[in-house]
Amino acid sequence: MLPDLLSAGFALAPVWPALAAILIALLLLPRTRPSERLVARITTAAVWLSLVSAACGVLLHLSHGPVDYRLGNWYDAAEYSFPLVMLFDGLSAAMSAFVALIVLTTVRFSVTYLHREPGFIRFFVLTLFFAAGMQLLVLAGSVELLFIGWEFVGLSSVLLVAFFHERAMPVQAALRVLVTYRVCDIGLLLGAVGLHHWLGTTVWVDIFAALPRHSGTAAGLAVALALVFAAMGKSAQFPVGGWLPRAMEGPTASSAVFYGSLSVHAGVFLLLRAAPLIEQSLTARIVLVVVGLVTAVIAALSSQVSADAKSAVAHATASQVGLMFVECGLGFYTLATIHLIAHATLRYYQFLRTPTALHDALWQQAALGRTDSDEAAARWEGVALVRRRALYRLALERFAVEPALDRLVTRPIMNLSRLLDRLEGGLLALHGRQPEAGTGAPLPVMAPDLNGAIAPPSPVLAPDMPAPEART
């Protein structure tokens, strides 16, 4: 009886924030703006309930060990079913409690920080959806449920990057984040499809049980690489991590909870959850180590030359996450979990007090006459001047990774899309010249232009229509 109650309580962890977000949205329907106090109370109550649910999960794990809690199928047809299953083990229990604590602290901080901000209600609605998505991500017992939480986290983070949408830079940064997420999320989607074809299931417990009978296959390598690719995009790893410094355009509170603490570590959590599957492929583990090491070096050097504090912390975050990728690739999963929670806590604190940290740094410089940057510069004095300048320029340009991606990937894809657009327009034009049944007049063509707008149809004359007279 007690395990069932604790399981039900734990399963409600993602439900409370989602219900609170829907309730606040319903309060906006009568075109009346609810007060900040009411929105703050609803949000705080929902996050507290989510924390209580996470505590139920911790108690469940301590008393009964891992629990695979199945709620039936949401959708079932032919050979495919969409199971509603929650996995309560040490990883999910620790992460769920950590997520609830971080979100609760963010809500309390933001009530004062965003007071009288025009987007106050929008911020809290998006934060609640993010909390629901993050809880679903860490508690999901199947890849499909994890994918839903993954998309909730991605969508809410993109909208919060563009929070100050009256300026152009936040909108452009949000588009960059959105494109990177959408491209790399293909990896998670392909991984789920590959698991269905390979093992016939996407439930984590069933996957782990079936792995010993299907080890060393090409399908396992493809699924592992697909999951690694998805984790690279969400955790801002080389070469798709250029969006992370741009994401600092959002409010400080969202930068702290998304890109210092929780969202940027979602890729590492995916690797930890799929650890038995990735262990089956040596190639996937080598890719993890190489990607993590390259990201750690590049991001650490870029952090040293960043002109603003938030970008410097963002690069430092990507560098540490790269080390977590290395730890996962080497099989040190417990170390990676401890590293994740400790690093997420530190970066969250640093992002929240970035303005105060700048003030403290200036006070330290005035009091001591020497700063950490001076000491860092002194450590580079042993490097030859020519090499130091070259390395500084590369770090300042972030090693030209994004221009290379634009030249080698983005431009060819855009050129191909324009070519396909022209071919489609030509095919539509040929189709439009075929006479309609019962008439001799051709059909006008309504083709979208390159910007997505529908251009007005050009006049097409029927064979028996005289040409219009020219005007002088």
Side-chain angles (χ1 to χ4, degrees), residues 8-17 19-20 41-57 96 100 104 135:
F10 198 13
L12 291 174
V15 174
W16 303 118
L19 289 179
R41 286 179 176 176
I42 294 175
T43 305
T44 304
V47 178
W48 269 111
L49 289 173
S50 182
L51 180 59
V52 172
S53 296
C56 292
S96 178
L104 180 61
Q135 289 285 1

Side-chain angles (χ1 to χ4, degrees), residues 34-329:
S35 64
E36 290 186 1
R37 179 175 296 180
L38 178 60
V39 172
R41 286 179 176 176
I42 294 175
T43 305
T44 304
V47 178
W48 269 111
L49 289 173
S50 182
L51 180 59
V52 172
S53 296
C56 292
V58 174
L59 293 175
L60 179 66
H61 175 70
L62 293 177
S63 60
H64 296 85
V67 175
D68 186 35
Y69 189 57
R70 309 204 176 200
L71 302 172
N73 293 327
W74 182 14
Y75 178 81
D76 192 355
E79 298 180 355
Y80 174 76
S81 62
F82 192 118
L84 296 176
V85 53
M86 299 289 185
L87 178 57
F88 306 145
D89 58 0
L91 178 63
S92 60
M95 287 300 300
S96 178
F98 181 70
V99 168
L101 283 172
I102 290 295
V103 174
L104 180 61
T105 307
T106 304
V107 168
R108 184 63 190 90
F109 174 86
S110 302
V111 169
T112 304
Y113 179 75
L114 294 175
H115 178 54
R116 296 184 181 275
E117 174 67 39
F120 184 92
I121 299 177
R122 176 160 45 96
F123 176 87
F124 281 93
V125 170
L126 292 175
T127 301
L128 287 169
F129 273 118
F130 165 76
M134 198 69 200
Q135 289 285 1
L136 185 60
L137 191 155
V138 301
L139 298 178
S142 66
V143 180
E144 286 96 343
L145 281 180
L146 187 146
F147 184 76
I148 294 175
W150 190 273
E151 292 301 309
F152 265 67
V153 171
L155 181 60
S156 57
S157 62
V158 168
L159 293 176
L160 281 172
V161 171
F163 183 79
F164 302 108
H165 53 80
E166 63 275 4
R167 294 188 290 113
M169 288 301 296
V171 176
Q172 294 175 3
L175 288 175
R176 184 82 180 198
V177 177
L178 177 64
V179 170
T180 305
Y181 278 177
R182 293 287 77 78
V183 171
C184 294
D185 289 354
I186 295 175
L188 186 56
L189 186 61
L190 292 178
V193 175
L195 284 170
H196 272 291
H197 286 279
W198 178 36
L199 302 178
T201 181
T202 56
V203 178
W204 291 118
V205 174
D206 298 338
I207 291 172
F208 301 154
L211 279 177
R213 302 189 302 272
H214 300 81
S215 60
T217 61
L221 172 61
V223 170
L225 290 178
L227 296 181
V228 169
F229 182 65
M232 287 166 54
K234 189 71 79 174
S235 293
Q237 296 298 288
F238 174 86
V240 292
W243 60 267
L244 185 58
R246 291 181 172 87
M248 300 300 108
E249 293 287 348
T252 298
S254 64
S255 298
V257 72
F258 282 87
Y259 311 115
S261 182
L262 298 180
S263 179
V264 76
H265 293 90
V268 181
F269 175 83
L270 176 62
L271 298 178
L272 294 173
R273 174 56 73 205
L277 193 154
I278 295 174
E279 278 187 346
Q280 302 292 322
S281 172
L282 179 61
T283 303
R285 297 175 65 181
I286 293 175
V287 170
L288 277 177
V289 173
V290 172
V291 169
L293 284 178
V294 173
T295 305
V297 173
I298 291 178
L301 293 174
S302 298
S303 175
Q304 297 294 319
V305 299
S306 294
D308 60 281
K310 289 182 72 174
S311 294
V313 177
H315 284 298
T317 300
S319 178
Q320 290 295 318
V321 174
L323 295 180
M324 297 176 204
F325 270 58
V326 174
E327 293 162 359
C328 291

Side-chain angles (χ1 to χ4, degrees), residues 461 466-472:
L461 299 178
E469 297 182 358
R471 296 183 179 180
T472 57

Side-chain angles (χ1 to χ4, degrees), residues 245-430:
R246 291 181 172 87
M248 300 300 108
E249 293 287 348
T252 298
S254 64
S255 298
V257 72
F258 282 87
Y259 311 115
S261 182
L262 298 180
S263 179
V264 76
H265 293 90
V268 181
F269 175 83
L270 176 62
L271 298 178
L272 294 173
R273 174 56 73 205
L277 193 154
I278 295 174
E279 278 187 346
Q280 302 292 322
S281 172
L282 179 61
T283 303
R285 297 175 65 181
I286 293 175
V287 170
L288 277 177
V289 173
V290 172
V291 169
L293 284 178
V294 173
T295 305
V297 173
I298 291 178
L301 293 174
S302 298
S303 175
Q304 297 294 319
V305 299
S306 294
D308 60 281
K310 289 182 72 174
S311 294
V313 177
H315 284 298
T317 300
S319 178
Q320 290 295 318
V321 174
L323 295 180
M324 297 176 204
F325 270 58
V326 174
E327 293 162 359
C328 291
L330 296 177
F332 301 140
Y333 300 110
T334 302
L335 177 61
T337 304
I338 297 173
H339 191 178
L340 187 158
I341 295 176
H343 176 256
T345 304
L346 173 63
R347 295 304 182 199
Y348 179 75
Y349 173 73
Q350 288 180 336
F351 269 108
L352 284 186
R353 69 180 303 272
T354 297
T356 307
L358 292 175
H359 181 271
D360 294 345
L362 293 175
W363 176 85
Q364 181 184 8
Q365 182 178 5
L368 302 178
R370 188 173 181 85
T371 63
D372 293 338
S373 59
D374 297 327
E375 296 177 359
R379 289 194 295 268
W380 286 97
E381 292 178 357
V383 182
L385 182 60
V386 176
R387 295 180 181 177
R388 196 190 316 165
R389 287 178 176 175
L391 191 59
Y392 178 82
R393 180 176 179 179
L394 286 173
L396 195 63
E397 296 175 352
R398 299 171 185 171
F399 288 79
V401 175
E402 293 181 31
L405 283 177
D406 291 339
R407 183 175 64 256
L408 299 176
V409 179
T410 306
R411 291 179 185 176
I413 291 177
M414 292 301 297
N415 292 334
L416 178 61
S417 66
R418 294 188 181 98
L419 175 62
L420 294 176
D421 183 76
R422 288 194 296 269
L423 291 176
E424 182 185 14
L427 292 175
L428 289 175
L430 290 176

